[in-house]
């Protein structure tokens, strides 16, 4: 085997993709999607919609292409999108931002997260506290920066953090507290008490709070409250979001970061040497989306509530124990009652497409190896498909139990 030195090994190992022999293995998402394709199963594994976004947003992209918005956009982003993001933050959360200094457009939230972590971390003595299970790119980006990931588990069945464990995880080496709220993969929305504790701890050790809020408009049962709106939080918080989930345009990869000018300047210094810029005609289209009326944003949350409840019903009828999902696309279920002797959720999910005709992802794909056993029976299902698709998946799951 060719020996290729470099940080790719550290990055792949952080994401759990490096085999003991040093070879790369595919992500669980690629593996399960391939099984779904081979078997014709309904794919509730990956979190992307199966329908297009609002016509106004699609039309704005088409108009931008036709009118020549096809070259590099300005480095920080199209001025209209920068303005629209600032308007959005004030409209929904009461935060006034300077679009020229406190907003940065990125190639999706994933690039915003990577650029932020690369900007703020500087080697193995720096630690990032993260809630586990976590989106796989977090571990990869932290590893790429050469820093250390410190997970705080979200324990079944509440899928909420233990505050004593959170306090114990934060130390003088903590440079970033990374918060995904609403949370992927669990669907948790963090309580006001947890958010206040995060802010207090960040002040105590002089850490930066980095928030991934891509599901901000898919909070189902209550208005979303960003951490940056809490007293003492804004001056040390980088808030990250994107248009992909809100406007069902995940392939456009238009994201953004907002925060104090000094922090956004540091992120920009790194980001400009990653993609530089991206998606020129899609940027004014997302700006149009951010200015859609309140009815649109209420409607997507209502639609997600219907799909969540339909999926949860099918899962319970199939024999799963189901955790309540307060936001995002995702519902987590415990497959323990359905597992055969010696089977874990990973093996269960590999067999599920052929056995039932539905694909899902084991939660163990989102955890560090040392905590694998704590999550070994949990499965993530994505309820972001059309209602008739969710209905058919629920029927198949329930029928499998009968």
């Amino acid at each position: 085997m060719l020996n290729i030195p470099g940080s790719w090994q550290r990055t792949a190992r952080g994401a759990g993709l490096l085999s003991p022999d040093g070879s790369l293995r595919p992500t669980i998402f690629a593996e399960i999607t391939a099984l779904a394709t081979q078997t014709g199963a309904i794919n509730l594994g990956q979190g992307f919609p199966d329908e297009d976004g609002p016509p106004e947003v699609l039309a704005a992209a088409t108009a931008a292409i036709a009118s020549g918005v096809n070259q590099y956009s300005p480095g920080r982003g199209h001025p209209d999108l920068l303005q629209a993001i600032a308007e959005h933050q004030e409209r929904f959360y009461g935060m006034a931002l300077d679009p020229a200094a406190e907003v940065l457009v990125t190639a999706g939230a994933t690039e915003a997260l990577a650029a932020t972590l690369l900007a703020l971390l500087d080697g193995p003595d720096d630690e990032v506290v993260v809630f586990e299970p976590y989106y796989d790119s977090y571990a990869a980006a932290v590893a790429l920066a050469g820093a250390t990931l410190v997970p705080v588990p979200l324990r079944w069945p509440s899928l909420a953090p233990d505050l004593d464990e959170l306090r114990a995880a934060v130390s003088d080496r903590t440079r970033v507290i990374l918060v995904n709220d609403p949370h992927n993969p669990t669907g948790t929305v963090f309580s006001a008490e947890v958010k206040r504790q995060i802010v207090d701890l960040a002040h105590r050790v002089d850490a930066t709070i980095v928030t991934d809020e891509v599901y901000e408009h898919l909070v189902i049962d209550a208005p979303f409250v960003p951490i940056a709106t809490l007293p003492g939080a804004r001056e040390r918080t980088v808030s990250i979001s994107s248009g992909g989930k809100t406007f069902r345009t995940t392939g456009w990869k238009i994201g953004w970061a907002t925060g104090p000018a000094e922090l956004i300047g540091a992120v920009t210094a790194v980001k400009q040497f990653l993609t530089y810029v991206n998606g020129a005609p899609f940027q004014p289209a997302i700006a149009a989306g951010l200015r859609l009326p309140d009815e649109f944003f209420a409607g997507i949350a209502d639609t997600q509530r219907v799909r969540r409840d339909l999926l949860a019903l099918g899962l319970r009828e199939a024999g799963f124990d189901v955790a309540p999902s307060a936001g995002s696309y995702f519902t987590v279920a415990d497959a323990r009652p359905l597992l055969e002797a010696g089977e874990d959720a990973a093996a269960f999910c590999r067999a599920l497409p052929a056995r039932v005709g539905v694909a899902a992802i084991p939660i163990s794909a989102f955890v560090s190896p040392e905590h694998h056993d704590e999550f070994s029976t949990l499965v993530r299902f994505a309820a972001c498909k059309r209602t008739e698709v969710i209905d058919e998946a629920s029927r198949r799951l329930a029928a499998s139990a009968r």
Side-chain angles (χ1 to χ4, degrees), residues 50-346:
D50 60 353
E51 55 192 339
D52 281 334
E56 302 94 324
V57 174
L58 304 182
T62 302
I65 293 170
S67 64
V69 185
N70 299 303
Q71 309 308 322
Y72 295 133
S73 60
R76 282 183 175 253
H78 192 289
D80 191 44
L81 179 54
L82 296 174
Q83 181 64 42
I85 293 166
E87 292 169 2
H88 171 275
Q89 296 302 92
E90 184 158 23
R91 170 187 173 188
F92 287 97
Y93 310 127
M95 293 191 293
L97 297 174
D98 178 355
E102 296 181 311
V103 184
L104 173 66
V105 175
T106 61
T110 301
E111 187 197 37
L113 285 158
T116 300
L117 293 171
L118 289 169
L120 299 179
L121 302 173
D122 192 25
D125 289 339
D126 289 353
E127 294 183 347
V128 177
V129 171
V130 66
F131 295 96
E132 187 177 48
Y134 45 77
Y135 182 51
D136 56 355
S137 80
Y138 298 172
V142 171
L144 182 62
T148 302
L149 200 70
V150 179
V152 176
L154 304 180
R155 299 196 180 278
W156 180 269
S158 68
L159 294 174
D162 180 282
L163 292 182
D164 288 336
E165 291 182 326
L166 174 59
R167 284 188 284 266
V170 175
S171 73
D172 290 341
R173 295 175 61 178
T174 303
R175 293 292 168 265
V176 170
I177 302 176
L178 178 53
V179 185
N180 182 197
D181 184 33
H183 187 264
N184 171 16
T186 67
T188 292
V189 173
F190 290 107
S191 69
E193 181 183 16
V194 169
K195 293 175 183 177
R196 284 194 298 268
Q197 183 68 86
I198 291 168
V199 176
D200 289 347
L201 290 168
H203 273 275
R204 187 177 307 169
V205 299
D206 195 25
T208 302
I209 303 168
V210 177
T211 67
D212 175 353
E213 299 173 352
V214 297
Y215 296 101
E216 60 185 313
H217 290 295
L218 294 171
V219 174
I220 297 172
D221 298 316
F224 177 58
V225 180
I227 282 184
T229 63
L230 272 61
R234 180 170 173 176
E235 63 267 25
R236 62 175 62 247
T237 300
V238 177
S239 302
I240 292 168
S241 192
S242 80
K245 306 302 191 296
T246 300
F247 304 115
R248 301 190 297 275
T249 54
T250 58
W252 289 8
K253 300 298 293 179
I254 303 298
W256 52 85
T258 61
E262 295 81 3
L263 282 172
I264 295 303
V267 177
T268 302
V270 172
K271 179 265 184 295
Q272 65 189 345
F273 297 111
L274 297 177
T275 59
Y276 174 47
V277 295
N278 71 291
F282 300 131
Q283 293 191 31
I286 294 298
L290 291 171
R291 293 180 175 122
L292 287 172
D294 292 350
E295 292 77 11
F296 167 79
F297 295 95
I300 59 174
D302 289 341
T303 297
Q304 193 59 34
R305 179 184 298 107
V306 170
R307 294 173 177 178
R308 174 201 66 177
D309 292 347
L310 186 61
L311 175 61
L313 177 63
L315 291 170
R316 291 190 178 98
E317 289 183 352
F320 290 90
D321 292 328
V322 181
S325 174
S328 82
Y329 285 158
F330 305 110
T331 293
V332 173
D334 191 347
R336 189 186 305 270
L338 306 175
L339 298 179
E340 299 176 358
E343 188 179 39
D344 63 7

Side-chain angles (χ1 to χ4, degrees), residues 314 317-320 338 352 355-356 394-402:
E317 289 183 352
F320 290 90
L338 306 175
L352 196 64
R355 183 186 299 168
V356 178
S394 299
R395 187 197 65 76
R396 294 182 186 186
L397 288 162
S400 71
R402 294 194 293 270

Side-chain angles (χ1 to χ4, degrees), residues 6-17:
S7 62
W8 72 271
Q9 289 182 322
R10 185 176 68 238
T11 305
R13 186 178 296 109
L17 300 181

